[in-house]
Amino acid sequence: GPSCALHYAVGCLHHSARLAAQTAEDGEQARQRSTQAFRSAISSHTSGSAVPLDTLWLALGVMLAPPLQQQHCFVQAIHLNDRNAAAWTALGFLYLQQDKASEARAAFQSAQTLSPSSPEPWLGQALCIQNAASA
C-alpha cells in the first residue's frame, strides 16, 4: 500500500544522502537508514503497492554489505521477476567481485538478452573477458 511507497522513497533519499556523504561515518549511517527503509517497504508491501516487490529486493541488495545477503536479495528479485535486467546485472557484478566468472557471464548474458541497449551488462561482459585475458 501507500506506506510501502513511502518507505521506498525514504530509502531512496537515504541512498542519495549516502552517495553525497562527506565522511565514511555519515555514509554508513545513511546506508543503514536506507537499508531499514527498504526492509520496511518489503514488509509493508501488498499486491496493490505502487512499487514492485522485485524492485524493493533489488534496492535492498544494493544497500547491503555482506555479499551473501546481497546475493540473496538479487536472487529473490529475479525469482519474483526473471525479466528484471537490473537484478541480473547486479548479480553479475557481485559474481564478478567474487571471481565467479562463469556465473557472472551467465548473469550478464541474461541481462543483455532482456535489455540489449543497456550498457552495464555489456561492460560486465567486457570485464569478464579482460579478467580472463589477464589470468
Side-chain angles (χ1 to χ4, degrees), residues 71-103:
Q71 181 179 345
H72 170 77
C73 291
F74 298 150
V75 169
Q76 185 68 14
I78 291 165
H79 175 74
L80 291 164
N81 177 7
D82 65 356
R83 302 193 55 75
N84 186 331
W88 282 110
T89 301
L91 185 61
F93 279 111
L94 179 64
Y95 286 148
L96 193 62
Q97 290 173 347
Q98 297 173 334
D99 293 323
K100 296 180 178 178
S102 64
E103 293 93 335

Side-chain angles (χ1 to χ4, degrees), residues 33 83 113:
R33 288 185 190 114
R83 302 193 55 75
T113 300

Side-chain angles (χ1 to χ4, degrees), residues 1-110:
S3 71
C4 173
L6 179 61
H7 289 300
Y8 178 71
V10 169
C12 291
L13 286 172
H14 285 301
H15 175 61
S16 295
R18 175 185 179 217
L19 297 176
Q22 299 295 314
T23 66
E25 183 180 342
D26 288 346
E28 178 58 19
Q29 286 177 352
R31 186 194 68 77
Q32 289 176 5
R33 288 185 190 114
S34 182
T35 298
Q36 185 55 47
F38 290 138
R39 284 187 170 132
S40 295
I42 289 169
S43 66
S44 65
H45 187 274
T46 64
S47 60
S49 294
V51 182
L53 191 54
D54 62 299
T55 299
L56 299 175
W57 280 103
L58 174 60
L60 179 60
V62 169
M63 287 295 100
L64 292 172
L68 283 177
Q69 289 182 12
Q70 288 182 307
Q71 181 179 345
H72 170 77
C73 291
F74 298 150
V75 169
Q76 185 68 14
I78 291 165
H79 175 74
L80 291 164
N81 177 7
D82 65 356
R83 302 193 55 75
N84 186 331
W88 282 110
T89 301
L91 185 61
F93 279 111
L94 179 64
Y95 286 148
L96 193 62
Q97 290 173 347
Q98 297 173 334
D99 293 323
K100 296 180 178 178
S102 64
E103 293 93 335
R105 283 192 305 273
F108 290 133
Q109 178 65 46
S110 293

